[in-house]
Amino acid sequence: MTSTHAVPPAHPATVPAPPEESVASLMRGIAVLRGLTDVGGAAGLSDLGRATGLARATVDRVAGTLAHMGYLRLDGSSAVLEPRLMELGNAYLGALRLPDLLGGHADGLADELDESVSLAVADGDGIRFIHQAIRRRTLSLSFRIGDLLPAERTAPGPLLATEWSAQDWTRWRERQALDPEDLGFPAIPPRSHGAVAEDFETRVERARVHAWAMDDQLIETGLVAVSVPVRAPDGRIACVASTVSHTSRHSADSLRDSLLPRLRTAVSAMERELADADAPPSETRSAPSGRAAWARESKQELGGEFIASLARGLTVITAFGEGRAELTLSEVAERTGLPRATVRRALITLEHLGHVTVHGRVFRLTPQVLALGFPPLSRTTLARIAHPHLTALTQRVQESTSLAVLMGDDVQCAVSVAAGRIMDADIGVGSRMPAYATSTGRVLLAGLPAEEYSSRLAHLRMGALTPRTVTRPAVLRAILDQVREEDYALVDGELEAGLRSIAVPVRDREGSLVAAINVTMHSSRRSAAECVEAVLPELRATAVRTELDLHLAGRFVRVPPL
């Protein structure tokens, strides 16, 4: 996500004037985040200014504030979205609960059918994905969680439109007139003809009668999908489950005949899950998040370059989540530690922008929150998450750093950041080294589950790479026991003479070991004791930062290492 792109213009639909009490800085910040989202997560600051209509100085201040919040990274004159931004989308998905309750059923169906399966909800006159179980093939779907598609070009659209109000239909017809090519939907190719829109109302009525709907290459040539509504206990559509394929595997008819019955069976299980689900415990009385104090401190530290009202407005979104689907103004203020007047103006602004709705005295997040960075970030990898943290570590310790994963009896380098010395560790991305003789390998071997650990070590082949290489299984086991106890590994001259490295683990949300990061250097630059005293604390701090981002990114999506 380091390349930059020009930002497309905003959706051509008419936007009503903001209320007098709206927060202009919050509107500007959201415009910048949406602009970055639409181009895949990275853009030049000048491009963002042209797309949003904001002055370059304003874009710089907005981007600087968002960078201080950890929501984006400034790379020269460009901005890149960061995984921490996913906490906004996580708040919506957590409050919705559907991914937690139904995601496992969707994943199981994808495994059973060997086809991609998705869950989508209504978002105005479009549909927005809340879960994706993608089958990885050369011809693979590129849809992501949070992507918005026009209802008329999808299989879920006709089903969701059976519950549209007159206002929804009016909005849809206005959009057809203003955006006949679907330029406001960057996740799909433009539409080149009007037949899709003209036929939509007929498809809606057919979906109402048959309780399923089909997409026969409406989005793109070769793509076919069949959808079934998942109904909540009150009978309304909670979401729509879809099975998606391409015409080299299924025609529309064969998709309907062979996969629709199995999709319906899975949907029945989903509906039972919803009927049996217990309400999550309320967390509205828990302690405030402390972000109000953080915003005040940041303002004092950075002065006019930090836009506190933008930071506070986005903090309001994070007040919601599991057990907090509906909150009153007072409850949002209690959760965030912000004054009621500040929360009120932020909620007015978010309602105007479509990110919250109000029902009596309570507020709810809408699917539009996912438009704030979630689609591009939902396809992130551990390597992308770790890279900026390793870059910062390399700058601090002035030594080369890397992240590796276990591949059989080897470790494979997923990220490598060189220190730029004349004599430097040359570890290329993709290179493999024997796990038993490397610091990352020992961390990863020591963290294996007990049954796999015993089996792996029993069959491990260990040859002498240098005179110092440990080759006796009993000695390696003793070393790995120590690594497990101390939670780090130091290897001195065993992979290559003169090469010293120290590594620590990286764990996912469940506490499982997924990778190891290390610092590598020539043995003349630091003694082993100096590595433990000076480098290890920096290495552990970097692991913590990487894990925080990984845990946020992995809340509702699977984060692969590469």
Side-chain angles (χ1 to χ4, degrees):
M1 293 196 315
T2 56
S3 61
T4 59
H5 308 275
V7 181
H11 195 287
T14 302
V15 178
E20 289 185 6
E21 293 182 273
S22 61
V23 183
S25 61
L26 178 56
M27 296 178 65
R28 296 183 190 115
I30 286 177
V32 168
L33 290 175
R34 295 197 66 156
L36 280 166
T37 301
D38 287 347
V39 295
L45 296 175
S46 296
D47 291 330
L48 287 169
R50 286 189 289 271
T52 59
L54 300 174
R56 173 60 191 269
T58 300
V59 172
D60 288 348
R61 288 186 65 219
V62 167
T65 299
L66 294 171
H68 190 69
M69 296 180 72
Y71 285 173
L72 58 80
R73 182 177 79 254
L74 294 175
D75 186 4
S77 61
S78 300
V80 183
L81 295 180
E82 288 282 81
R84 195 162 301 176
L85 178 62
M86 295 178 77
E87 70 179 0
L88 304 183
N90 286 349
Y92 164 73
L93 293 172
L96 185 68
R97 298 189 70 204
L98 294 178
D100 279 332
L101 293 172
L102 308 183
H105 293 282
D107 296 344
L109 181 62
D111 291 339
E112 176 192 342
L113 303 179
D114 195 26
E115 299 288 358
S116 296
V117 174
S118 65
L119 301 177
V121 296
D123 188 352
D125 63 344
I127 72 151
R128 201 177 289 272
F129 294 112
I130 59 169
H131 184 82
Q132 289 281 2
I134 300 295
R135 310 312 287 172
R136 302 294 177 184
R137 299 190 177 97
T138 303
L139 278 175
S140 185
L141 298 178
S142 61
F143 293 138
R144 306 156 299 184
I145 296 175
D147 272 336
L148 178 68
L149 276 60
E152 67 276 8
R153 290 179 65 182
T154 68
L159 293 162
L160 293 168
T162 62
E163 296 186 344
W164 280 5
S165 65
Q167 184 180 6
D168 293 325
W169 280 106
T170 298
R171 180 170 54 238
W172 177 76
R173 293 186 180 96
E174 289 176 350
R175 196 234 318 149
Q176 296 300 308
L178 290 168
D179 187 15
E181 297 181 351
D182 292 337
L183 299 179
F185 298 90
I188 60 172
R191 185 173 63 197
S192 58
H193 57 82
V196 170
E198 294 168 4
D199 186 50
F200 183 55
E201 294 183 54
T202 301
R203 293 176 60 218
V204 172
E205 291 308 310
R206 190 181 303 127
R208 194 189 308 276
V209 172
H210 298 297
W212 60 270
M214 180 75 68
D215 165 14
D216 188 359
Q217 306 182 76
L218 297 175
I219 290 178
E220 189 169 52
T221 301
L223 187 147
V224 289
V226 63
S227 295
V228 173
V230 181
R231 296 192 179 274
D234 64 3
R236 294 186 62 83
I237 297 176
C239 65
V240 174
S242 303
T243 300
V244 189
S245 189
H246 50 78
T247 51
S248 63
R249 294 174 61 84
H250 284 283
S251 66
D253 288 342
S254 74
L255 191 69
R256 178 196 63 216
D257 295 341
S258 62
L259 301 190
L260 178 58
R262 294 150 85 181
L263 176 59
R264 280 179 162 155
T265 299
V267 165
S268 295
M270 293 180 188
E271 291 176 341
R272 288 193 296 272
E273 187 81 47
L274 294 181
D276 295 340
D278 295 325
S282 174
E283 300 178 11
T284 56
R285 294 188 178 276
S286 58
S289 66
R291 297 199 181 193
W294 176 86
R296 288 193 299 270
E297 293 166 2
S298 297
K299 186 67 175 178
Q300 292 172 356
E301 175 188 352
L302 302 176
E305 294 305 305
F306 181 79
I307 309 174
S309 53
L310 168 57
R312 296 184 188 115
L314 292 175
T315 294
V316 165
I317 295 175
T318 67
F320 297 82
E322 187 175 0
R324 305 185 303 278
E326 296 182 340
L327 295 177
T328 64
L329 189 154
S330 296
E331 288 169 339
V332 174
E334 182 182 356
R335 281 287 305 171
T336 59
L338 294 170
R340 280 174 52 90
T342 299
V343 170
R344 180 174 178 273
R345 293 190 63 202
L347 288 170
I348 287 172
T349 307
L350 293 169
E351 183 186 6
H352 167 70
L353 295 174
H355 297 294
V356 302
T357 58
V358 59
H359 306 269
R361 295 178 57 249
V362 300
F363 295 86
R364 300 174 187 161
L365 296 182
T366 76
Q368 284 198 40
V369 173
L370 294 175
L372 305 180
F374 213 88
L377 291 172
S378 70
R379 290 291 180 87
T380 196
T381 63
L382 176 55
R384 289 177 180 171
I385 290 172
H387 190 273
H389 297 298
L390 291 183
T391 299
L393 176 61
T394 294
Q395 292 171 349
R396 290 196 301 274
V397 302
Q398 292 297 298
E399 304 288 359
S400 296
T401 60
S402 65
L403 176 143
V405 295
L406 195 61
M407 302 287 285
D409 292 341
D410 296 334
V411 289
Q412 180 174 340
C413 177
V415 182
S416 180
V417 181
R421 293 176 176 270
I422 294 175
M423 186 171 60
D424 212 347
D426 183 16
I427 304 174
V429 172
S431 61
R432 296 175 68 147
M433 294 159 285
Y436 70 90
T438 61
S439 61
T440 52
R442 289 182 180 175
V443 165
L444 292 166
L445 288 172
L448 288 172
E451 62 279 2
E452 186 179 352
Y453 174 79
S454 298
S455 174
R456 184 74 63 90
L457 263 63
H459 298 90
L460 196 62
R461 295 182 178 179
M462 297 187 294
L465 305 174
T466 75
R468 305 187 66 171
T469 306
V470 170
T471 58
R472 293 173 56 194
V475 175
L476 180 63
R477 282 179 181 271
I479 291 172
L480 294 180
D481 288 343
Q482 184 177 0
V483 169
R484 193 178 301 111
E485 180 180 346
E486 297 179 341
D487 218 27
Y488 79 91
L490 190 147
V491 172
D492 194 357
E494 295 187 46
L495 179 69
E496 184 176 323
L499 190 69
R500 179 176 291 139
S501 68
I502 185 169
V504 298
V506 175
R507 296 182 171 91
D508 64 15
R509 289 180 59 87
E510 287 70 42
S512 298
L513 185 59
V514 293
I517 58 175
N518 79 341
V519 174
T520 307
M521 69 203 75
H522 189 271
S523 57
S524 64
R525 292 207 282 268
R526 282 185 175 94
S527 68
E530 288 171 333
C531 284
V532 173
E533 181 180 351
V535 177
L536 181 59
E538 294 283 359
L539 193 54
R540 283 180 164 154
T542 299
V544 168
R545 296 185 186 102
T546 302
E547 288 175 343
L548 286 174
D549 285 350
L550 176 60
H551 298 173
L552 274 173
R555 173 66 179 90
F556 291 101
V557 301
R558 175 183 167 272
V559 180
L562 305 173

